[in-house]
Each structure stands twice: as structure tokens, then as C-alpha cells.
Amino acid sequence: METERILLRPWREEDAEALYRHASDPEVGPRAGWSPHKSVDESRNIIRTLFANDHTWAIVQKESREPIGCICYYTPDESNIGIGPNDAEVGYWVARPYWNRGIATEALQLLIDYCLRQRGFRTLWADYFPDNQASGRMMQKCGFHDTGQLNHCSRLAIGSNRPVKVMRLDNETIT
């Protein structure tokens, strides 16, 4: 999956240093519900254990060939939201130097297309902390709408005690 500027590809162990460089930023992880990485070894372990699947991708800037973020979907048994059997929850983050450049929007649009057209999910779900309004606006730009629901995500490393706003995108709304 790719656009002119980015491509989505599986994570590789050799991505650990780039992952650490971006995921150790204290402004990045907590906005997505995880703690900043403390070492390259921790990042390598996350690649081996959490990112080693068929539904998590590195967001790679084509120009530098470096991972600058992560995007994935969660199945109903992995989701933080009570979703249906034909649904998926999406999640993503992008390194701070790439905020407000449309990178996350491009990556999410690629994932939406893949999930709805190729995987055949009926509904996509997403959530964000209310103090991360940029993420909510970006989801809306990609076609998600606010459900009015607040949820607590017990699987988050940081923020499980804070509510998130739940967003939804139905396959029927994509033209």
C-alpha cells in the first residue's frame, strides 16, 4: 500500500533504531495510550511481539526510507471497543516531526481502503483522547463520524482511566 509520499510495509527488526528515535518522544506515545520507549532493545522487542502480525504496518517515508509511524487494525478480540464480528478498530501514530503534514491522513486512507475493500470489514471504529483534537479532526476528514460514545480502554498502557471518544465509519458510506 502506498501513495506518492509514503508506503505501508511490515515492520522489520532493523527498524528498531528508527522506532526508538520516534517512539521515545514523550509527546507521541501518551497521545496514543502507550509509554515512551526507553531503549532500542525495547523497541526491537515491540517489533517482535506486538508488530509481528499481518495487520500492523510501518508508515515509511519514501524519501528517507525510514519508518515514521505505525498503523494497524484490531480484530474484535483485540479491540478496545465492543465491535461486531465483521468490524475492525484502527489505530495509528506518526512521529512528531511529521505532524500536520497529511502523513497520518494518507496512511489512514490507505488502511481504510484496504480494510473495507480488500478485507471486507463492515464497519471501522477508532477512538481518541478528547485532548487530542487533531486526531479526531483527521478521523473526520477520512470519513469517520463521532458516535457520541465515550469508552475506557482497559488495554492501554497509559490512559486506561481516561475516556476516549469513539468514532465510526460504515462501509456503505464509502463511494
Side-chain angles (χ1 to χ4, degrees):
M1 297 182 277
E2 63 185 279
T3 67
E4 189 174 304
R5 298 189 301 166
I6 64 167
L7 67 92
L8 306 184
R9 65 149 170 83
W11 283 91
R12 304 172 185 147
E13 283 194 37
E14 58 265 24
D15 295 329
E17 286 187 28
L19 176 58
Y20 172 69
R21 187 169 45 260
H22 299 306
S24 62
D25 183 336
E27 293 295 317
V28 175
R31 291 175 186 260
W34 45 269
S35 300
H37 293 197
K38 294 173 181 56
S39 69
V40 173
D41 284 339
E42 178 184 12
S43 293
R44 186 174 292 107
N45 187 51
I46 286 171
I47 291 169
R48 288 177 183 154
T49 59
L50 296 178
F51 295 172
N53 58 59
D54 65 353
H55 54 273
T56 303
W57 297 272
I59 302 169
V60 176
Q61 182 187 37
K62 285 183 171 180
E63 183 179 309
S64 69
R65 297 180 177 217
E66 176 180 298
I68 58 169
C70 184
I71 195 160
C72 64
Y73 70 84
Y74 302 104
T75 58
D77 59 321
E78 300 168 313
S79 176
N80 281 301
I81 305 168
I83 62 176
N86 298 313
D87 299 350
E89 177 187 353
V90 299
Y92 54 85
W93 64 266
V94 172
R96 188 169 15 166
Y98 302 94
W99 290 356
N100 300 312
R101 294 186 180 188
I103 299 289
T105 302
E106 285 181 37
L108 184 55
Q109 288 170 334
L110 285 172
L111 185 63
I112 289 167
D113 185 63
Y114 174 78
C115 285
L116 297 181
R117 297 188 199 293
Q118 294 184 40
R119 296 286 302 156
F121 291 117
R122 186 189 68 211
T123 302
L124 296 181
W125 300 84
D127 55 52
Y128 68 96
F129 291 113
D131 60 352
N132 188 0
Q133 290 295 315
S135 189
R137 284 190 302 274
M138 197 265 305
M139 289 175 195
Q140 288 178 328
K141 187 177 188 178
C142 290
F144 284 83
H145 67 272
D146 189 342
T147 65
Q149 295 175 285
L150 293 176
N151 189 45
H152 283 85
C153 301
S154 61
R155 297 180 184 189
L156 296 179
I158 293 179
S160 61
N161 60 334
R162 295 173 41 216
V164 293
K165 292 185 116 185
V166 178
M167 306 290 280
R168 176 183 178 138
L169 174 68
D170 293 304
N171 199 343
E172 295 79 34
T173 62
I174 301 298
T175 56

